Amino acid sequence: MKTIAVPLTGGRGYEIHVGARLEGLGRTLRGRVAGRRALVVSSAPMARLYGPRLLRSLRAAGFAPALASVPAGESRKNLETVRKIYAACLAARLDRRCPVIALGGGVVGDAAGFAAATYMRGLPLVQCPTTLLAAVDSSIGGKTGVDLPEGKNLVGAFHQPRLVWADLSVLKTLPEKEWRTGMAEVVKYGLIADAELANRLEALTLSNLRGKPALLEDIVARCAAIKADVVARDERETRGLREILNLGHTFGHAVEAVTGYKAYTHGEAISIGMAAAARLAARLGLAPAPLAARTEILLARWGLPVRARRAPPRKKLLAAMSRDKKNRAGKFRFVVPTAWGRVRSGVEATPDVLDKVLTEVGL
Ligand SMILES: NC(=O)c1ccc[n+]([C@@H]2O[C@H](COP(=O)([O-])OP(=O)(O)OC[C@H]3O[C@@H](n4cnc5c(N)ncnc54)[C@H](O)[C@@H]3O)[C@@H](O)[C@H]2O)c1
Ligand SMILES: [Zn+2]
């Protein structure tokens, strides 16, 4: 097991335990919260597969846990689901010392996290990620929220967890498609901050990772540490640091939006986005020419696309990109790779350069 500290001000710092066992959560949590009652929020399949182990661990540590099963899938990451979680908080008679424990992927983590942030103005939150993406990304950093029919993640709150407990053995049931989506974020961490991690990813395969728990733990812990470091230095995305985590996401989010979230997984969309960002850097003279090719080879190695299968209407794509939160004063701002393991944020591009880059990646 590897423990990573997220140092935050005001006694809000917490630990990420990578490679921990669900069986050990109760005992560690006992020392972190005062309440005896607890609510585990999960999707039905995760509750069935991993709920019993977690509940046993909580009971053995003196908690009286209840379990709430919420619908899975991005389409259910909404206020209706949050309302169900509030009802479960009420039924479980939680007070402000009692933890909400999210057992699931990013959808469960974001919705349960938002409920924990807002029920009684805030309950302690524990994240138990069950997808690779949640383990390296969404469980860390305190962003919680849900979608509105008008758009993704439009309602939310910053609410840091008390503890992140990543039992990686639960990934054994994760479908291949979800592994690949998580790997897009893992590659992202290498490209933004860790040349050595990126080098290792050039030599590994998915079956290596699935077959070697210690190796997987090492890689996940490395990613978690990068995110923890960025979050600790720019918790609320006000200092321009946290936006490096968005490499490939300005393009990627727009691709997802214009294709109705159906044509590409998030990982596939940001993979095309990372390829586009690398090409943009080359065109702007911000990176040596071979960097874009090396980036694309790495992404392709992990089964991720670097070209769109079909070009969406360009006007719609640009409109979606213009809604990106990083934009300022009507100008597009990108994070682009400048060297292996290094990026620059706040890079502006003129419409003609952007046009060429989009065409190059089939968008
Ligand atoms: N809060 C943040 O900082 C942050 C960061 C990145 C992404 N997100 C959010 O995370 C969400 C995506 O998360 P995700 O990729 O984990 O998707 P997800 O939660 O939808 O999980 C993907 C699928 O895998 C299934 N699953 C989960 N764990 C499993 C396991 N161990 N075995 C078998 N199946 C399993 C789920 O039921 C689901 O069908 C998005 O809503 C995104 O907005 C949030
Ligand atoms: Zn992402």
Side-chain angles (χ1 to χ4, degrees):
M1 184 175 75
K2 294 200 161 54
T3 305
I4 295 141
V6 188
L8 296 174
T9 55
R12 295 169 309 118
Y14 57 95
E15 284 172 351
I16 306 164
H17 294 253
V18 176
R21 288 302 170 134
L22 285 176
E23 284 75 6
L25 174 62
R27 224 171 49 168
T28 301
L29 187 58
R30 191 62 287 170
R32 302 282 198 284
V33 297
R36 211 176 72 79
R37 291 186 287 274
L39 180 69
V40 175
V41 179
S42 195
S43 63
M46 292 306 103
R48 197 177 55 246
L49 282 167
Y50 306 114
R53 282 167 58 193
L54 181 52
L55 292 172
R56 263 201 304 279
S57 153
L58 292 167
R59 285 193 195 103
F63 286 100
L67 175 70
S69 213
V70 295
E74 185 70 38
S75 65
R76 311 302 280 277
K77 194 178 109 173
N78 56 28
L79 290 167
E80 188 49 40
T81 296
V82 172
R83 187 192 287 275
K84 288 196 175 113
I85 302 172
Y86 292 150
C89 291
L90 267 166
R93 295 186 297 121
L94 301 191
D95 64 44
R96 292 177 73 182
R97 301 163 308 158
C98 302
V100 169
I101 302 161
L103 173 68
V107 165
V108 165
D110 278 12
F114 183 64
T118 46
Y119 185 74
M120 291 187 167
R121 298 200 183 83
L123 303 182
L125 170 67
V126 177
Q127 293 282 7
C128 291
T130 65
T131 62
L132 179 60
L133 181 134
V136 298
D137 191 353
S138 61
S139 65
I140 306 160
K143 283 190 184 175
T144 71
V146 293
D147 306 334
L148 293 180
E150 291 80 1
K152 267 193 73 166
N153 294 330
L154 284 178
V155 178
F158 281 102
H159 187 57
Q160 297 290 345
R162 287 287 166 93
L163 192 61
V164 179
W165 199 259
D167 181 339
L168 302 178
S169 71
V170 307
L171 299 182
K172 67 178 182 290
T173 52
L174 193 68
E176 169 130 0
K177 181 177 122 203
E178 303 298 340
W179 272 95
R180 295 206 181 280
T181 247
M183 280 313 299
E185 304 284 359
V186 172
V187 169
K188 178 193 81 179
Y189 285 113
L191 297 179
I192 63 176
D194 192 339
E196 201 229 325
L197 171 63
N199 289 343
R200 287 173 79 187
L201 296 172
E202 286 184 309
L204 291 170
T205 64
L206 195 51
S207 55
N208 291 150
L209 285 185
R210 296 178 87 157
K212 295 190 182 145
L215 178 66
L216 177 65
E217 184 178 308
D218 209 46
I219 301 264
V220 171
R222 189 62 211 125
C223 297
I226 294 169
K227 177 136 189 197
D229 178 57
V230 172
V231 166
R233 289 190 289 145
D234 186 16
E235 187 183 351
R236 299 218 164 193
E237 218 164 276
T238 48
R239 307 181 55 200
L241 260 168
R242 197 165 167 162
E243 63 188 46
I244 67 168
L245 299 170
N246 263 321
L247 174 67
H249 282 61
T250 306
F251 296 105
H253 283 153
V255 168
E256 287 183 277
V258 297
T259 52
Y261 298 93
K262 290 196 181 80
Y264 301 95
T265 66
H266 176 67
E268 288 172 339
I270 66 161
S271 175
I272 298 167
M274 288 188 272
R279 284 169 176 271
L280 181 58
R283 284 207 173 262
L284 294 174
L286 296 172
L291 186 66
R294 189 175 179 188
T295 302
E296 293 189 354
I297 290 167
L298 176 57
L299 290 164
R301 176 179 187 87
W302 291 93
L304 294 161
V306 293
R307 297 277 174 288
R309 289 187 279 271
R310 243 177 91 195
R314 178 69 54 94
K315 252 177 101 176
K316 273 194 177 169
L317 185 73
L318 289 171
M321 282 174 62
S322 69
R323 286 193 284 273
D324 189 272
K325 294 192 202 85
K326 289 187 296 303
N327 296 336
R328 303 254 166 82
K331 287 217 168 102
F332 292 120
R333 286 157 52 90
F334 296 93
V335 180
V336 301
T338 52
W340 196 236
R342 197 156 346 127
V343 286
R344 185 189 297 180
S345 58
V347 171
E348 291 179 3
T350 56
D352 61 315
V353 171
L354 195 54
D355 225 44
K356 291 199 180 90
V357 167
L358 290 172
T359 303
E360 277 176 15
V361 299
L363 284 171

